[in-house]
Amino acid sequence: MELDATDHRILRDLQTSGRLSNADLAERINLSASACHRRVQRLEAEKVIKGYVALLDPRKVDRKTTVFVEITLSGQADSILDAFEKSVARIPDVLECHLMAGTADYLLKVVASDTEDFARIHRQHLSRLPHVSQMQSSFALRTVFKTTALPLS
């Protein structure tokens, strides 16, 4: 699917203001409401827009501690990777899991209420993941900036 400049404007506005009404979005990008609606529907149908979410303040929901966990597995066979990925996907405190190139096989982003809560997550979940040979955790001291908006040309 080719994205044109109007699609990019729609996507930029929706990334920063996902609750915009169709009428407001149409006005912002200088389209009729019906044309804007058709474009948004097409972007949704093509899965360019995968969904809409509410972004929560981690401090207000008692998840103020962010930990990045590097995982090294005992091997690289598909069965080992699949078993690990299926297991880690079931841990609710893991927000992201990335297969990496470099020294670690995976990088996880984990949220916890505090260090004691992370110790619980580690003990009950992370230490039980299959095929893990090494794990290193790094605690974020402060989030300097964070965005969910992807850059669009």
Side-chain angles (χ1 to χ4, degrees):
M1 171 180 179
E2 281 288 319
L3 299 178
D4 64 17
T6 302
D7 293 326
H8 283 197
R9 288 195 313 268
I10 289 170
L11 294 170
R12 263 193 291 281
D13 281 0
L14 287 177
Q15 283 189 104
T16 58
S17 303
R19 291 187 64 169
L20 275 176
S21 69
N22 184 66
D24 289 339
L25 179 60
E27 186 177 319
R28 280 187 181 194
I29 63 168
N30 203 21
L31 272 183
S32 70
S34 59
C36 181
H37 183 66
R38 280 192 305 275
R39 280 183 177 256
V40 170
Q41 283 185 316
R42 183 183 52 112
L43 292 166
E44 291 169 346
E46 294 290 331
K47 301 292 186 216
V48 175
I49 297 173
K50 292 175 64 174
Y52 298 90
V53 300
L55 299 175
L56 307 181
D57 182 338
R59 295 182 164 284
K60 306 253 171 129
V61 293
D62 196 28
R63 290 291 182 262
K64 56 189 170 284
T65 301
T66 302
V67 186
F68 295 94
V69 182
E70 292 179 333
I71 304 275
T72 304
L73 300 181
S74 59
Q76 296 290 309
D78 283 344
S79 61
I80 290 174
L81 299 177
D82 289 344
F84 174 82
E85 290 174 7
K86 285 179 181 146
S87 294
V88 77
R90 290 192 291 266
I91 304 172
D93 307 288
V94 176
L95 298 185
E96 297 177 23
C97 175
H98 302 273
L99 178 61
M100 303 296 290
T103 56
D105 294 315
Y106 288 91
L107 179 65
L108 311 181
K109 181 180 179 181
V110 179
V111 291
S113 58
D114 53 26
T115 56
E116 287 179 21
D117 188 39
F118 179 72
R120 175 196 59 80
I121 295 163
H122 186 280
R123 186 174 54 257
Q124 292 178 359
H125 300 290
L126 299 178
S127 66
R128 297 178 183 181
L129 288 167
H131 308 291
V132 173
S133 66
Q134 188 175 352
M135 190 178 322
Q136 180 174 328
S137 302
S138 299
F139 285 75
L141 298 176
R142 178 171 55 99
T143 300
V144 176
F145 101 88
K146 176 180 173 179
T147 184
T148 59
L150 296 174
L152 300 169
S153 55

